[in-house]
Amino acid sequence: MKPLFEYCLRLADNGLILGQRLSEWCGHGPVLEQDMALTNIALDQIGQARSLYQYAGEIEGKGRDEDQLALLRSSNEYRNALLVEQPNGHFGHTVLRQYLFDAFNHLNYTALCQSKSEQLRAIAEKSLKEITYHLRWSSEWVVRLGDGTEESHSKMEEALDDLWMFAGELVTADELDRQMLEQGYGPDLDKIAPSYWAHIEATFERAQLQKPENTWWQSGGKRGVHGEHMGYILAEMQHLQRAYPGQQW
């Protein structure tokens, strides 16, 4: 597998799987305005994924388009981080999952605006406007719920206990990340990590949330090793394309 192709899949799969998760909220949001916000963020994520799949298909050179890359792979071929495949849970779970991802995604795409790849730079520059809104939305809700009522604070603490173990994978560089850095395509995650943790700590302080002491991170998603939730996501997401081959977005 070509390294740049696999790297583009990582970026695209993060957007697609998180977008799929957020789309499950459509019609079920706590209030109409936030129902629409979640749906719009889902559309943004999937739109970003589509651009990346198109680029990945060009790099691969095997004639696979964005539909085939998005919808006709098995679980171990997806390269998304474990965080984005976690279940929605209650609204606080979804908000915290989104924030932990957005804080990383904003730093990552900011750095990608300096990528050696002209196409990656263009995708990053266009996506960054949307990602900036995502981060503002999710961070404001983390503070609102964390520093809200006793019940909302308790639910955010619960979400933090459940999701914290998945945050570290986002900023932990592996061989592919280092290869992309050396070749000038991807950012230096070792430099991104301190900014990521600093942003999280500042937001948690405003939200009156206590960061867990645990620093052991779940990992494997970026290599195609996923949890049980991934199979259910793909079964629902891929059903139409597999049942009626050749459908297009």
Side-chain angles (χ1 to χ4, degrees):
M1 186 181 292
K2 298 177 181 178
L4 183 56
F5 169 70
E6 184 174 0
Y7 184 69
C8 287
L9 287 185
R10 284 188 179 185
L11 297 172
D13 291 345
N14 278 337
L16 179 69
I17 299 304
L18 184 55
Q20 176 70 14
R21 273 297 189 213
L22 292 173
S23 71
E24 296 170 9
W25 274 102
C26 186
H28 300 281
V31 293
L32 179 59
E33 183 179 2
Q34 301 314 317
D35 191 301
M36 294 175 64
L38 288 165
T39 303
N40 283 327
I41 294 172
L43 289 171
D44 289 342
Q45 299 282 186
I46 293 171
Q48 293 163 22
R50 184 177 188 180
S51 297
L52 288 159
Y53 285 133
Q54 289 172 340
Y55 183 37
E58 294 173 10
I59 296 168
E60 184 187 35
K62 294 183 179 179
R64 288 199 288 179
D65 61 15
E66 65 267 30
D67 295 307
Q68 292 168 310
L69 288 172
L71 302 171
L72 292 177
R73 287 180 291 147
S74 59
S75 177
N76 64 353
E77 294 177 295
Y78 282 79
R79 296 293 185 263
N80 56 277
L82 294 174
L83 175 68
V84 300
E85 68 194 53
Q86 299 310 304
N88 288 331
H90 53 64
F91 184 62
H93 264 99
T94 293
V95 163
L96 185 64
R97 182 190 62 200
Q98 189 68 34
Y99 171 66
L100 292 174
F101 179 74
D102 289 341
F104 162 73
N105 213 32
H106 189 271
L107 292 166
N108 196 43
Y109 271 68
T110 298
L112 283 170
C113 290
Q114 307 301 318
S115 174
K116 174 182 174 181
S117 165
E118 181 179 352
Q119 199 149 346
L120 263 183
R121 288 201 310 272
I123 293 171
E125 288 168 0
K126 180 181 179 182
S127 301
L128 195 55
K129 298 175 183 178
E130 298 170 339
I131 293 168
T132 299
Y133 162 71
H134 300 169
L135 178 57
R136 184 172 70 246
W137 181 88
S138 60
S139 60
E140 288 176 354
W141 269 104
V142 167
V143 173
R144 183 179 299 182
L145 294 173
D147 193 29
T149 66
E150 182 178 342
E151 181 178 3
S152 71
H153 178 83
S154 174
K155 286 184 177 294
M156 291 303 290
E157 291 281 9
E158 173 194 339
L160 188 53
D161 288 341
D162 290 342
L163 295 171
W164 183 248
M165 71 181 78
F166 301 107
E169 184 184 19
L170 298 170
V171 292
T172 302
D174 64 5
E175 183 178 350
L176 180 61
D177 291 314
R178 288 188 284 271
Q179 190 173 0
M180 290 295 96
L181 172 62
E182 291 171 2
Q183 295 179 8
Y185 291 113
D188 187 345
L189 291 186
D190 290 337
K191 289 184 178 179
I192 283 178
S195 298
Y196 177 67
W197 299 123
H199 196 292
I200 285 176
E201 287 188 15
T203 301
F204 283 1
E205 184 176 355
R206 292 174 58 210
Q208 302 298 310
L209 293 173
Q210 183 66 42
K211 185 180 71 173
E213 296 294 330
N214 175 44
T215 55
W216 178 83
W217 309 118
Q218 288 277 6
S219 63
K222 295 199 292 186
R223 302 191 311 273
V225 181
H226 299 282
E228 62 179 297
H229 305 299
M230 190 66 173
Y232 292 102
I233 295 172
L234 296 184
E236 181 174 357
M237 188 175 74
Q238 295 182 347
H239 171 73
L240 183 64
Q241 187 65 277
R242 292 189 181 277
Y244 304 97
Q247 301 302 306
Q248 295 182 338
W249 282 344

